[in-house]
Amino acid sequence: MAWIYLIIAGLGEMFGVLMINKFHSDRSVASLLLLVAGFTASFVFLALSMETLPMGLAYAVWTGIGAAGGALFGMILYGEPKDGKRIFFLSLIIAAVIGLKLVSP
């Protein structure tokens, strides 16, 4: 169950980052509330995952999901560069997260 919590935490992190961008563009209360909700959910589920998983592992996976997801959504939704080097290094982050899952309890 801890890994499911950790994935939800990573998705919350990605959602929060997307809402930061939305809040910068429209400055609405709804965007701000969604931003706070995304990061709150992210931290709650990260804390739940850390009841079982080691802190270093949970934090590394959480930041990897958030960083890779944020970069991918930036490329897909906001026209950020999609060159081969970026894709390669994002793939390394994703591979590292999968590798940590495979070698961890």
Side-chain angles (χ1 to χ4, degrees):
M1 197 66 184
W3 281 98
I4 293 171
Y5 290 151
L6 190 53
I7 290 168
I8 294 169
L11 294 174
E13 178 83 358
M14 289 175 8
F15 181 76
V17 169
L18 289 172
M19 290 301 102
I20 289 173
N21 198 36
K22 181 164 176 43
F23 181 69
H24 278 288
S25 67
D26 68 14
R27 298 285 181 185
S28 70
V29 173
S31 295
L32 180 61
L33 292 175
L34 288 171
L35 183 156
V36 170
F39 284 119
T40 298
S42 179
F43 287 123
V44 166
F45 282 99
L46 177 62
L48 289 171
S49 74
M50 288 173 58
E51 289 177 359
T52 305
L53 297 174
M55 179 204 59
L57 170 69
Y59 183 73
V61 171
W62 177 68
T63 56
I65 292 170
L72 288 172
F73 276 117
M75 288 188 281
I76 294 166
L77 299 176
Y78 300 110
E80 293 179 5
K82 300 175 182 88
D83 60 85
K85 292 176 187 174
R86 280 180 62 114
I87 301 293
F88 172 74
F89 287 112
L90 284 171
S91 300
L92 289 178
I93 293 170
I94 294 166
V97 168
I98 292 168
L100 285 170
K101 166 62 175 124
L102 293 174
V103 300
S104 300

